[in-house]
Amino acid sequence: MNIHVSNLKKIFGEKTVVDIPDFVVNDGDMLGLVGNNGAGKTTLFRLMLDLIKADDGSVVMCFDTPEGNRIEASPADTEEWKAYTGAYIDEGFLIDFLTPEEYFRFIGKVNGLSEQETDSRISVFEHFMHGEIMGQKKLIRNYSAGNKQKIGIISALISHPRLLILDEPFNFLDPTSQNILKHILKDYNAQSGATVLISSHNLTHTIDISGRIVLLESGCIIKDLQNVGNSAEKELEDYFNM
């Protein structure tokens, strides 16, 4: 799935938080979005997911259906893209009065999966869950921030989405879980050909897994870097060490 952003603006009060004239996410990109606090990363993701409305411009998603039809439409104009998209932005995506088992099966059911299919897809994350998610007999609201993060990330992957959007996925995770997640995301992108977008304050992890890195400042894209063999590392470090 690819995404075309055109003349996109979002304004809160007197502050323009996103101002992007032209930006294309290519099908199969493993793209890292970086920038300091307030750069507009989360707002851009929310605009892409139709969680908030733009003040100007558009986001257009392009994808082929299993029937061979080519869909090119704004997320606001069609629901079809949702079947191909997995996302986790924050705890607001969780249904925290359910157990993880109930929540995963709900997500599976929404995506047309049987309980057995859902359980099978969840089982591949056993190492990532580290024995702390399933079988605990407690509601999601009672889990630690790190385990809530894991639940959200796993739920975004259950449907095997062609577009995966994760906002600050390394937040709250211990170092071992961060490294496991890096492998999960790289392998998923490589094996499925899915388009994967992450935002992160962790520059090292982002450089390690992203083939392309976009730098936002005050809502504007100021660098769009190919990252072959961590080639973007010095330029990004120079920017953040200014």
Side-chain angles (χ1 to χ4, degrees):
M1 183 182 292
N2 68 347
I3 304 169
H4 187 194
V5 172
S6 180
N7 298 315
L8 189 66
K9 285 190 178 183
K10 183 61 184 177
I11 301 168
F12 291 120
E14 297 182 355
K15 184 178 180 182
T16 299
V17 292
V18 169
D19 186 0
I20 301 176
D22 189 62
F23 173 51
V24 175
V25 179
N26 301 306
D27 190 33
D29 268 354
M30 180 79 184
L31 188 147
L33 195 62
V34 298
N36 290 315
N37 287 337
K41 303 184 299 296
T42 300
T43 302
L44 177 56
F45 280 172
R46 289 186 177 278
L47 288 165
M48 288 180 173
L49 293 167
D50 195 36
L51 296 174
I52 57 175
K53 301 298 182 184
D55 292 297
D56 197 9
S58 64
V59 175
V60 174
M61 293 188 176
C62 306
F63 57 94
D64 296 317
T65 68
E67 297 76 27
N69 299 318
R70 182 70 170 170
I71 304 294
E72 294 188 17
S74 165
D77 296 334
T78 178
E79 298 285 310
E80 288 188 74
W81 62 276
K82 294 181 180 179
Y84 305 97
T85 303
Y88 183 68
I89 303 296
D90 55 34
E91 285 186 31
F93 276 51
L94 303 174
I95 304 176
D96 67 0
F97 57 82
L98 301 178
T99 66
E101 291 90 341
E102 291 170 334
Y103 181 60
F104 291 147
R105 287 179 174 175
F106 169 76
I107 296 295
K109 187 174 182 180
V110 168
N111 286 280
L113 302 175
S114 67
E115 288 189 2
Q116 292 76 16
E117 288 172 319
T118 300
D119 292 346
S120 176
R121 293 190 181 192
I122 292 168
S123 67
V124 303
F125 299 105
E126 186 174 343
H127 188 38
F128 184 50
M129 291 189 285
H130 197 58
E132 298 175 340
I133 305 295
M134 308 294 280
Q136 302 302 302
K137 297 182 179 179
K138 61 181 182 180
L139 305 180
I140 291 173
R141 66 164 65 105
N142 297 321
Y143 280 76
S144 67
N147 283 328
K148 287 178 183 175
Q149 187 82 345
K150 291 181 182 182
I151 292 167
I153 292 166
I154 293 167
S155 69
L157 282 159
I158 285 175
S159 66
H160 292 173
R162 287 160 53 184
L163 171 63
L164 176 66
I165 296 178
L166 300 175
D167 192 33
E168 298 290 351
F170 301 106
N171 271 7
F172 312 119
L173 300 183
D174 59 62
T176 297
S177 297
Q178 289 180 21
N179 283 321
I180 293 170
L181 178 59
K182 279 167 47 174
H183 288 292
I184 288 171
L185 296 178
K186 285 183 72 173
D187 290 347
Y188 184 70
N189 172 253
Q191 293 169 13
S192 70
T195 305
V196 178
L197 280 65
I198 68 162
S199 75
S200 181
H201 285 120
N202 191 311
L203 199 59
T204 300
H205 290 338
T206 306
I207 291 169
D208 283 348
I209 68 173
S210 304
R212 180 183 171 197
I213 299 178
V214 169
L215 174 59
L216 277 180
E217 182 179 292
S218 301
C220 300
I221 294 175
I222 61 169
K223 294 183 185 292
D224 189 343
L225 306 171
Q226 294 302 310
N227 184 44
V228 180
N230 291 7
S231 59
E233 183 173 12
K234 185 179 186 310
E235 192 166 349
L236 289 169
E237 286 185 348
D238 287 346
Y239 170 82
F240 286 107
N241 288 331
M242 285 190 306

